Amino acid sequence: MFCSTGDLNETDVDTVLLLTDDCYIVAEYDSHLDKIVRFEKVPLQNIALIEMGMYQQTKLFQGSAPALLCLRLNYTVDGVDGYFHMFRSANIRFFNNMVYVIKTQEEVMGRH
């Protein structure tokens, strides 16, 4: 998800990550409008760091939310660090051209 619009409680797929020979493109899809409403193109040479790990959001006065496996692509713009796109899984997975709904935290983590 886009770091500026990501909602950890959202489970619908609304962001598409495309990888090409020279860049990656992050496109935001609006299912109500049935179209791409925004996209960003990042040259691969601008990627500074690729991180994969557990992200846990703390809810003040409510304890911690479950940790989510995330991918974060850190990149530069005009030589300036600090930009990133962070992605996490939706509540679906694909296997043999079939869509399966993820129902448990173990399935989210890839342990099933």
Side-chain angles (χ1 to χ4, degrees):
M1 300 195 139
F2 289 96
C3 58
S4 61
T5 61
D7 179 358
L8 290 174
N9 297 316
E10 184 66 44
T11 57
D12 293 334
V13 177
D14 62 358
T15 304
V16 179
L17 174 64
L18 300 169
L19 180 62
T20 70
D21 289 340
D22 61 348
C23 70
Y24 75 85
I25 300 168
V26 179
E28 185 176 347
Y29 174 77
D30 187 320
S31 60
H32 300 293
L33 299 175
D34 194 27
K35 68 178 186 175
I36 301 284
V37 293
R38 181 175 97 160
F39 72 92
E40 293 180 48
K41 181 178 177 181
V42 178
L44 294 180
Q45 65 195 29
N46 289 14
I47 295 177
L49 180 66
I50 299 173
E51 300 174 282
M52 187 168 187
M54 302 306 292
Y55 176 79
Q56 185 167 11
Q57 179 187 27
T58 302
K59 296 179 179 178
L60 194 59
F61 305 118
Q62 297 178 7
S64 295
L68 301 167
L69 184 60
C70 292
L71 171 70
R72 188 161 85 170
L73 302 172
N74 298 276
Y75 63 97
T76 62
V77 174
D78 297 327
V80 178
D81 290 329
Y83 296 91
F84 67 90
H85 291 110
M86 188 161 73
F87 305 90
R88 65 166 173 83
S89 176
N91 66 340
I92 58 173
R93 63 185 171 95
F94 297 93
F95 182 73
N96 285 342
N97 293 327
M98 297 290 294
V99 177
Y100 297 93
V101 175
I102 296 173
K103 298 176 186 158
T104 66
Q105 185 64 25
E106 286 77 26
E107 288 180 317
V108 170
M109 302 301 298
R111 297 177 282 199
H112 41 267

